[in-house]
Amino acid sequence: MKSHIVKCPCGLGQDYHQCCGRYIDEGNVPKSPEQLMRSRYTAYVKCNHDYLLQTWQENTRPKNLELDQKLDWLGLDITDCQADESDENKSQIEFSARFRSDDKVFVLHERSLFVRENGRWFYVDGEIFKKSAPDKIGRNAPCICGSGKKFKHCCG
């Protein structure tokens, strides 16, 4: 009997349990800022408040976190990972996350700061570049989620 493979939302195309699930569900610690970024995106997709708060640096962590469960996360693109040249315990990641809300598609573009404390990476905060709707997507254009299907047969 074949086991059911669930694709991880983070965009690497791996099985969830072999990818971000090992951090979110099994308590393993991400070894890099990119692994943490991808697992945090996946935690947003899954509305996992606990994991998001646990991986948020203590000085900037909110007391509670309200997540909009109606958001439909469509995909993550990491465009830049930069280690701080003067401090090996700091790193920045620039990403774009696509989501749908009220039948409109938006893109969140952010540069996030991560710090390593006691051998563990944490999200500190981020600079949001834009939160806007992308250019109008034609119904026959490739879907923005990266599925390879036409927009009208996928997220459209």
Side-chain angles (χ1 to χ4, degrees):
M1 185 168 134
K2 286 186 176 180
S3 64
H4 182 67
I5 294 176
V6 177
K7 193 173 175 182
C8 189
C10 80
L12 290 179
Q14 298 175 359
D15 173 55
Y16 169 76
H17 299 289
Q18 299 297 315
C19 195
C20 295
R22 61 189 164 150
Y23 310 121
I24 296 170
D25 299 336
E26 297 173 25
N28 293 333
V29 176
K31 292 180 177 33
S32 72
E34 182 176 349
Q35 287 175 338
L36 180 58
M37 175 70 230
R38 289 185 181 282
S39 67
R40 284 179 55 82
Y41 170 81
T42 299
Y44 274 102
V45 171
K46 295 183 167 290
C47 290
N48 188 318
H49 301 83
D50 293 339
Y51 183 78
L52 291 166
L53 291 172
Q54 290 167 7
T55 57
W56 211 310
Q57 201 269 342
E58 185 177 10
N59 295 334
T60 59
R61 180 187 310 139
K63 292 206 184 300
N64 54 39
L65 187 61
E66 296 294 324
L67 299 177
D68 186 347
Q69 295 188 10
K70 292 185 250 173
L71 291 183
D72 182 17
W73 292 96
L74 303 172
L76 172 70
D77 294 312
I78 293 180
T79 54
D80 190 27
C81 295
Q82 289 186 353
D84 188 315
E85 293 178 13
S86 64
D87 188 344
E88 65 183 21
N89 292 314
K90 289 184 180 177
S91 186
Q92 293 186 9
I93 296 180
E94 187 172 336
F95 71 92
S96 294
R98 296 174 307 284
F99 63 94
R100 183 182 7 231
S101 177
D102 297 325
D103 292 326
K104 294 179 184 162
V105 177
F106 297 88
V107 177
L108 171 64
H109 181 193
E110 179 178 317
R111 178 170 287 281
S112 298
L113 175 62
F114 294 86
V115 296
R116 183 170 36 200
E117 297 175 346
N118 300 317
R120 186 175 182 151
W121 286 101
F122 292 92
Y123 169 79
V124 178
D125 59 20
E127 174 189 358
I128 296 175
F129 294 120
K130 63 181 177 179
K131 184 177 176 182
S132 63
D135 295 334
K136 185 172 168 104
I137 301 167
R139 291 176 40 81
N140 289 317
C143 191
I144 60 169
C145 74
S147 68
K149 298 177 185 175
K150 290 182 180 181
F151 183 70
K152 69 181 177 184
H153 293 298
C154 193
C155 293

